[in-house]
C-alpha cells in the first residue's frame, strides 16, 4: 500500500526544509519506505477534504491504506514502530528514545515556536522589541540544558533514533536566528543529522518541489 503524505504546494521557506513534511520524509527515508507527496495549497488545507484528514487544516498528513494520521510526532512514531532503524529493540532503550521524541516536541520545540511567533507573526507589534530578548533567553536556556546532556556524544541516547530525528528537525528551525551557532555541540549534532543520507534525500525531495519555477 503506497504511503501518501501531504506537503505545502509552495513552502513559505522556499525549500529550506523547515516545513514539517521534511521530518516525515526523513523518517520514511530512514525506514526505506517509498512514498508519494500530495501537494496542497493554503486554501485547500482549510477545505473539507483536507479537514477530514487533518482537523486543524495543516500539513503534513500521512495515509496508508485505510489509516490516516496527522501530527508529526504520531506519524514518526508510527513509522518507527513498524520499520527497523528508528527505535532500539531493547525495551528500555526504546522507551528512552520515545522520551526524547516527546522532549523534542513538548519541551524544546515550544520556545523555538514562540521565537518564530515573536519575529514573524507578531513582527509588527509594539511589544516585539521588549519580548524578543526574553523569548531568546528562554530558547538559550533550553539549548544549554540539551547541550549539557548531549555532551560529547553523537546522539542523545546511544545510536541514532527517532528521538534524534525529531530533535534535529526542531533545532533546524532555529538556524536562521543565529542562536543555534552559539552552541557548538548542538551545531555539530544538527550537522550530523543533516549529513545522514536519508536526511539528504528528504531535503532534496522537498527542495525539488519548492525550488521549481
Ligand atoms: N503539531 C503539528 C505537527 O507537528 O504536525 C504542527 C503542524 C504545522 O504547524 N503545520 C504547518 C501548517 O500546516 C506547516 S509546518 N501551517 C499552515 C496553517 O496552519 O495554516 C510549520 C512551518 C511553516 C512554514 C515554515 N517556513 O516557511 O519556514 C516552517 C514551518
Amino acid at each position: 500500500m503506497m504511503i501518501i503524505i501531504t506537503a505545502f504546494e509552495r513552502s513559505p521557506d522556499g525549500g529550506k526544509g523547515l516545513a514539517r513534511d521534511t521530518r516525515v520524509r526523513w523518517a520514511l527515508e530512514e525506514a526505506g519506505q517509498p512514498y508519494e507527496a500530495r501537494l496542497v495549497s493554503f486554501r485547500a488545507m482549510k477545505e473539507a477534504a483536507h479537514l477530514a484528514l487533518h482537523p486543524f487544516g495543516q500539513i503534513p498528513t500521512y495515509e496508508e491504506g485505510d489509516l490516516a494520521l496527522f501530527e508529526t510526532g504520531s506519524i514518526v512514531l508510527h513509522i518507527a514502530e513498524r520499520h527497523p532503524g528508528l527505535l532500539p529493540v531493547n525495551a528500555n532503550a526504546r522507551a528512552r528514545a520515545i522520551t526524547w521524541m516527546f522532549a523534542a516536541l513538548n519541551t524544546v520545540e515550544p520556545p523555538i515556536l514562540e521565537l518564530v511567533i515573536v519575529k514573524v507573526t507578531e513582527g509588527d507589534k509594539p511589544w516585539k522589541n521588549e519580548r524578543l530578548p526574553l523569548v531568546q533567553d528562554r530558547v538559550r536556556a533550553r539549548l544549554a540544558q540539551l547541550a549539557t546532556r548531549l555532551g560529547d556524544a553523537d546522539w542523545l541516547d546511544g545510536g541514532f533514533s527517532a528521538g534524534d530525528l525529531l530533535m534535529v528537525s526542531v533545532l533546524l528551525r532555529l538556524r536562521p536566528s543565529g542562536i543555534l551557532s552559539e552552541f557548538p555541540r548542538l551545531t555539530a549534532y544538527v550537522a550530523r543529522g543533516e549529513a545522514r543520507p536519508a536526511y539528504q534525500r528528504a531535503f532534496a525531495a522537498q527542495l525539488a518541489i519548492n525550488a521549481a519555477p
Side-chain angles (χ1 to χ4, degrees), residues 8 11-13 18-20 23 42 45-46 57-60 71-72 173:
F8 283 135
S11 177
D13 73 355
L18 301 179
R20 285 182 177 82
R23 57 183 73 167
F42 277 92
M45 274 192 281
K46 311 301 174 196
Q58 296 184 314
I59 60 96
E71 284 296 333
T72 52
R173 188 92 186 261

Side-chain angles (χ1 to χ4, degrees), residues 91-113:
N92 284 356
R94 197 175 179 93
R96 288 196 303 272
I98 293 170
T99 300
W100 278 115
M101 294 177 70
F102 278 86
L105 301 179
N106 287 356
T107 301
V108 178
E109 192 167 45
I112 293 173
L113 293 182

Side-chain angles (χ1 to χ4, degrees), residues 46-88:
K46 311 301 174 196
E47 289 173 353
H50 189 74
L51 287 170
L53 286 174
H54 196 308
F56 307 112
Q58 296 184 314
I59 60 96
T61 57
Y62 175 103
E63 291 161 82
E64 188 180 10
D66 58 6
L67 174 68
L69 298 174
F70 61 96
E71 284 296 333
T72 52
S74 165
I75 296 170
V76 172
L77 182 58
H78 172 80
I79 296 164
E81 282 185 324
R82 275 155 190 81
H83 306 283
L86 282 167
L87 285 174

Side-chain angles (χ1 to χ4, degrees), residues 23-45:
R23 57 183 73 167
V24 172
R25 294 174 186 273
W26 185 7
L28 287 166
E29 292 288 353
E30 292 282 354
Q33 293 303 300
Y35 67 95
E36 287 172 3
R38 189 170 65 244
L39 307 181
V40 288
S41 65
F42 277 92
R43 188 175 49 77
M45 274 192 281

